[in-house]
Amino acid sequence: MTETTAPESSVFPDFAAIDTVTCIGAGTIGGGWAAYLLAQGYRVKIWDPAPDAGKKFSRLLDAAWPALAELDMVDEADRTAWSVHTDLAEAVAGTGFVQESAPEDLALKRGLLAQIDAACEPNVVIGSSTSGYSMTEMATEAIHPERLVVGHPFNPPYLIPLVEVVGGAQSSAAAVDWAAGFYSHIGKSVIRMDREVPGFIANRLQEAQWREALHMVEQGEATVEQIDRSITDGPGLRWPFQGPMLTFHLAGGEGGMAHMLDHFGPSLKSPWTRLTAPELSQSLRDDVVAGCEVEAGPRTIPDLVAHRDAGIIALRRLTAQLAEPRDTESASEASVSVRAATMGVTGRLDDYVTEVVPEWIDYNGHMSEAFYVLVFGFATDQVMDQLGLDAAYRESAKASLYTVESHIRYLDEAALGDRLAVVPHLVSVGEKKLHLAYEMYVGDRLVSTEEIMALHVDQAEDRVVPFLAPVTERITQIETNRPDWVGRAIG
Ligand SMILES: NC(=O)c1ccc[n+]([C@@H]2O[C@H](COP(=O)([O-])OP(=O)(O)OC[C@H]3O[C@@H](n4cnc5c(N)ncnc54)[C@H](O)[C@@H]3O)[C@@H](O)[C@H]2O)c1
């Protein structure tokens, strides 16, 4: 890509001076951008020819606002600070930035970008959400193509951080830099690409998988459900923590990516996918290995493994919680009834199992006492899920279990890689409280015990309240048990 030199970056507005932005097109993506920008404290002007554009955006905002409040909202955000305009000049008057998200149609984008360009002050950068067109092909009719750039988001743009930024042949480097800086300023995770590539980076990767999946269905090689589960219960669990490159770096064990490529390199010639692999030349091998080393930085392979494993544990617990049905019954009742159906009339609390990871090891070479507490905490989370005090319940009942007292005994050591099995006991139950006890084992060796008293707290009113009926019902189905060590004093 050749970037022209004008205009200078100094002509573009200071990020801090911008209080108004414009969204052209307010469908799935443009509306998502508008919601996100509102949550970042901007006044948002919308231009969209659909007669019901305002109503549609209002519905989108109803759904997006609570999600934004959870993750990405500044204190001064005002969800009413938006307006829909029928006049383009009015929509861009006083704006500091324009994001175009009209339908993916090259002729339409060409004409529209030229129209926006003609209506905007020359120092305003215009970003396009296009999924795959290059700015070189979209900017052909604009008078100031130098301030046109691609800022490609992912749906929903109010929650997914990634924005891929790339200019066209006539975009100025200053405009591309400014756009990348602005998206970062508003909290996005920006990839500034140096070259235009159809589909950018993430869509190309996604598209390769999508096309292979369609081939597999067409050829009867896999069902739709098998394809989805192969990702959600397989590699998809690793990707939030490590992308495809670092994931394969770890697939090489202690030898990392170098071993991975030397070991599996010949498989690139096997028909494992319909996409043809490049020749694994020495320079490609070295570039990939060096790239992994740069990305890993000071983190060793065991560090990366520990990070990945902690992430997968957290994610599996979360997806299990969110998998509960939520149709006709209230969320909390539904989660309890599913548990009841799967557990029988009298049940026991499930053991919680985990493994000692490197970051839990202290200077003595054993698991540090702080992590005993952490493991018991995870066990309590699992007990809460089993009793129906899960995420859906916490959300709907606005109540949760608070630990108010605990007593831990450290009886033996746990070493790196030890499998920890935590056996929970329901010692006693009150209308508003639970007395729980845990035994932590490595094999048949008892390494620690914990006893906790937990109260059921209404978080909105900040007071102790009775459990809701479905939870009480569930609790009564668990047998109580008081191990003889419970209540044992120190010493
Ligand atoms: N949907 C996705 O997952 C996704 C992801 C990333 C990028 N994109 C890109 O975002 C852009 C918008 O896609 P979408 O999914 O939001 O489409 P959409 O159909 O949901 O929304 C398009 C909006 O543009 C409006 N519109 C129609 N003609 C217009 C015009 N001439 N000027 C301004 N607005 C006009 C429509 O009324 C509609 O509200 C496309 O370029 C698309 O490729 C989409």
Side-chain angles (χ1 to χ4, degrees):
M1 186 184 71
T2 338
E3 286 167 337
T4 59
T5 47
E8 293 299 320
S9 59
S10 57
V11 305
F12 298 126
D14 281 347
F15 301 145
I18 296 176
D19 57 11
T20 302
V21 290
T22 302
C23 291
I24 303 291
T28 309
I29 296 301
W33 270 119
Y36 184 79
L37 289 158
L38 280 173
Q40 293 306 305
Y42 293 96
R43 159 156 192 72
V44 178
K45 296 170 102 178
I46 291 171
W47 187 75
D48 187 308
D52 60 345
K55 280 198 185 123
K56 251 171 53 189
F57 174 62
S58 183
R59 286 197 296 274
L60 188 151
L61 192 58
D62 284 345
W65 201 254
L68 283 159
E70 287 283 329
L71 278 177
D72 288 307
M73 191 177 288
V74 299
D75 289 345
E76 59 276 21
D78 175 359
R79 65 166 288 173
T80 67
W82 58 277
S83 45
V84 179
H85 302 261
T86 47
D87 179 40
L88 181 60
E90 196 184 282
V92 298
T95 197
F97 174 65
V98 178
Q99 182 77 29
E100 172 276 313
S101 312
E104 189 77 351
D105 173 317
L106 184 56
L108 183 152
K109 297 257 191 211
R110 276 188 179 142
L112 181 61
L113 286 169
Q115 251 184 295
I116 303 168
D117 175 41
C120 265
E121 291 293 329
N123 68 335
V124 172
V125 171
I126 300 162
S128 171
S129 298
T130 180
S131 295
Y133 295 129
S134 68
M135 189 45 83
T136 301
E137 51 190 347
M138 291 192 296
T140 50
E141 295 173 17
I143 294 169
H144 298 291
E146 65 279 355
R147 44 78 169 264
L148 299 183
V149 305
V150 167
H152 173 239
F154 268 77
N155 191 38
Y158 58 84
L159 284 182
I160 306 264
L162 184 64
V163 181
E164 293 168 312
V165 180
V166 61
Q170 299 189 74
S171 309
S172 75
V176 183
D177 285 343
W178 188 93
F182 182 69
Y183 289 124
S184 299
H185 176 72
I186 62 172
K188 291 295 183 183
S189 169
V190 174
I191 295 181
R192 186 202 190 286
M193 296 175 66
D194 293 331
R195 291 173 51 182
E196 288 187 296
V197 186
F200 318 114
I201 300 173
N203 264 357
R204 287 185 81 86
L205 294 170
Q206 192 172 248
E207 190 68 17
Q209 188 182 68
W210 171 233
R211 290 186 190 183
E212 183 65 33
L214 291 178
H215 277 304
M216 294 187 86
V217 173
E218 193 210 17
Q219 293 298 314
E221 295 164 353
T223 65
V224 164
E225 192 272 341
Q226 285 171 334
I227 287 169
D228 273 350
R229 197 150 47 81
S230 78
I231 297 299
T232 57
D233 285 3
L237 285 168
R238 306 183 296 214
W239 288 338
F241 314 102
Q242 281 144 9
M245 287 293 182
L246 275 195
T247 290
F248 280 178
H249 184 45
L250 299 189
E254 289 177 3
M257 181 57 90
H259 177 66
M260 154 73 195
L261 287 175
D262 295 341
H263 186 187
F264 290 107
S267 303
L268 289 171
K269 303 233 182 284
S270 305
W272 287 4
T273 169
R274 289 157 175 96
L275 188 65
T276 310
E279 192 59 37
L280 185 60
S281 62
Q282 188 65 37
S283 74
L284 175 57
R285 176 197 179 277
D286 294 348
D287 284 350
V288 172
V289 170
C292 284
E293 277 160 17
V294 170
E295 189 181 350
R299 295 173 298 170
T300 61
I301 298 252
D303 290 342
L304 292 168
V305 167
H307 177 66
R308 178 197 65 195
D309 291 358
I312 293 175
I313 290 167
L315 205 54
R316 283 190 51 192
R317 296 176 66 223
L318 187 67
T319 50
Q321 277 177 18
L322 295 176
E324 306 288 356
R326 289 161 175 258
D327 46 11
T328 48
E329 300 169 272
S330 79
S332 52
E333 283 169 353
S335 81
V336 170
S337 60
V338 167
R339 299 279 182 210
T342 55
M343 285 190 58
V345 178
T346 54
R348 56 178 294 275
L349 295 171
D350 295 337
D351 296 353
Y352 172 74
V353 177
T354 189
E355 193 175 293
V356 181
V357 295
E359 64 199 20
W360 295 354
I361 300 299
D362 68 11
Y363 42 84
N364 293 323
H366 296 108
M367 183 162 90
S368 167
E369 71 245 45
F371 295 103
Y372 284 73
V373 181
L374 181 79
V375 172
F376 283 129
F378 288 155
T380 300
D381 287 344
Q382 184 175 287
V383 167
M384 287 172 65
D385 287 350
Q386 196 179 347
L387 296 179
L389 291 153
D390 54 11
Y393 177 90
R394 292 194 289 275
E395 173 67 26
S396 62
K398 302 281 177 262
S400 185
L401 210 55
Y402 282 23
T403 300
V404 290
E405 192 178 334
S406 72
H407 173 210
I408 294 188
R409 294 184 307 153
Y410 299 94
L411 304 172
D412 208 344
E413 292 153 345
L416 180 62
D418 276 350
R419 179 181 181 275
L420 304 175
V422 180
V423 181
H425 303 275
L426 183 60
V427 178
S428 67
V429 181
E431 190 195 17
K432 307 173 184 175
K433 65 182 180 187
L434 294 179
H435 183 174
L436 292 156
Y438 301 97
E439 288 159 346
M440 186 191 296
Y441 291 93
V442 172
D444 55 7
R445 201 158 46 88
L446 182 64
V447 296
S448 183
T449 65
E450 185 190 46
E451 201 184 329
I452 68 164
M453 185 62 74
L455 301 181
H456 184 244
V457 175
D458 181 318
Q459 293 169 301
E461 297 192 12
D462 198 20
R463 65 187 179 88
V464 182
V465 291
F467 295 111
L468 296 188
V471 172
T472 308
E473 188 188 316
R474 183 68 228 128
I475 292 171
T476 56
Q477 291 179 330
I478 303 287
E479 285 173 355
T480 54
N481 178 37
R482 185 183 180 90
D484 59 5
W485 53 266
V486 164
R488 194 171 291 176
I490 293 175

